[in-house]
Every structure is written in C-alpha cells, then in structure tokens.
Amino acid sequence: MSEYSFELSIPTDTDGYVLMQCPLCCEMFKLHPHDVEDDAVFDIRCPCCGIVSDNYITDDVAELAVAKAGNIFLDEMHKEMKKLERETRGGVIQFVVGKKPKHEFEKRLMPTIEAMSETVCEECGKSMKLTHALLFTAYCCPYCGVSNFNER
Ligand SMILES: [Zn+2]
Ligand SMILES: [Zn+2]
C-alpha cells in the first residue's frame, strides 16, 4: 500500500483564533494560526505551565485525526481486498470480500468551548486568548516567554 495523507481543517473562532491545548497541564488557549506558523517563532510555550511542547492539538482534533486515518485505512484495505477478489475470481482458490466496512464517526469540530478573553503581550505585541482563570493569575507569553501579570 502506498502512503496516504489527509487534511484536517481546524476551525477558527470569529476573531480568527484557533483553539489549542497543552498536553501537559491541559490548559486551553487560543492563538492566531499565522503567528504560530511564523518563521520567526521557534517554540510555542504553554501560557500556563510555560513548557514548550511539540503540538497543542486538542483532544477533539486528535480524535478526529484518528477517526479519519482509520477510515482511510479501512477503505484502502477494502479496495485491496476487492482487487484480490477480482484476481482470484474463477480460480481454484477464490477470495470473497464482504460489505464495505462501516466508518468511524467523524465528529464536527467546534471552534470554541471556553470563556476566553483576548490579551496582547506587552513584550512582543502578539495577541492571544486565554482563559479567565489564567488571566487573573500569572501567565507567560506563548511566543516570547515573558511573564505577564494582570493588574486588574
Ligand atoms: Zn501547560
Ligand atoms: Zn510575548
């Protein structure tokens, strides 16, 4: 079998932010996709625990990716087996394939779940959305790592 790839489009909220989740502390936050993909930005750190992770995929996105990949695999398996069925038709050994396998449900991704507010880093000027709980305590900028303390 060859390699397959598929695209997952992660929805943005009305302000163009995409929801992310820290795999370590599970804190949710939102960043602009164009900031995240900016070449000048090397690491994105969690605004809550301050640790840099490889990805901040939310559980929903991870689940959808697994479902999608599984469905593609099922379809391909079925196609390959159908081919085998055709090739062995009328032969001494016949390979018969049953119905197409049922697909895993691909859940629709929702762009927002948490109550978050927009804030701008005083140091690098990049904007982000953070949970109210985090905004009222201390957090660090996901881009430059500078701690921001909310005086309000
Ligand atoms: Zn974290
Ligand atoms: Zn910053």
Side-chain angles (χ1 to χ4, degrees):
M1 272 198 259
S2 39
E3 273 179 46
Y4 300 95
S5 68
F6 58 91
E7 265 185 37
L8 252 186
S9 48
I10 301 170
T12 54
D13 69 9
T14 45
D15 301 315
Y17 284 94
V18 71
L19 182 68
M20 300 175 131
Q21 185 179 27
C22 174
L24 301 168
C25 69
C26 297
E27 176 71 19
M28 300 269 199
F29 54 99
K30 287 178 172 181
L31 301 176
H32 270 305
H34 61 85
D35 282 339
V36 174
E37 282 154 22
D38 191 337
D39 288 342
V41 175
F42 293 110
D43 295 316
I44 303 286
R45 70 187 69 235
C46 167
C48 183
C49 66
I51 295 169
V52 175
S53 292
D54 290 340
N55 71 70
Y56 293 97
I57 274 179
T58 58
D59 289 345
D60 275 1
V61 174
E63 264 172 44
L64 182 65
V66 168
K68 266 192 194 285
N71 289 342
I72 291 169
F73 179 73
L74 283 178
D75 285 349
E76 284 309 316
M77 279 295 285
H78 191 256
K79 240 194 274 171
E80 292 290 318
M81 275 152 57
K82 274 287 181 198
K83 219 164 86 190
L84 203 60
E85 187 186 61
R86 274 199 303 278
E87 283 164 4
T88 58
R89 193 167 289 154
V92 184
I93 300 161
Q94 278 194 37
F95 195 84
V96 179
V97 182
K99 274 210 312 273
K100 225 178 149 149
K102 228 181 102 205
H103 270 191
E104 194 88 26
F105 176 60
E106 289 179 16
K107 190 161 71 179
R108 249 196 83 191
L109 293 172
M110 301 310 265
T112 183
I113 46 151
E114 305 268 316
M116 294 189 189
S117 288
E118 195 169 31
T119 185
V120 177
C121 173
E122 293 149 21
E123 190 67 27
C124 67
K126 283 187 165 49
S127 57
M128 65 210 73
K129 276 189 184 177
L130 302 174
T131 59
H132 292 162
L134 196 57
L135 279 170
F136 282 113
T137 50
Y139 57 94
C140 70
C141 174
Y143 299 105
C144 67
V146 163
S147 292
N148 286 263
F149 298 91
N150 206 306
E151 298 93 342
R152 270 177 299 166

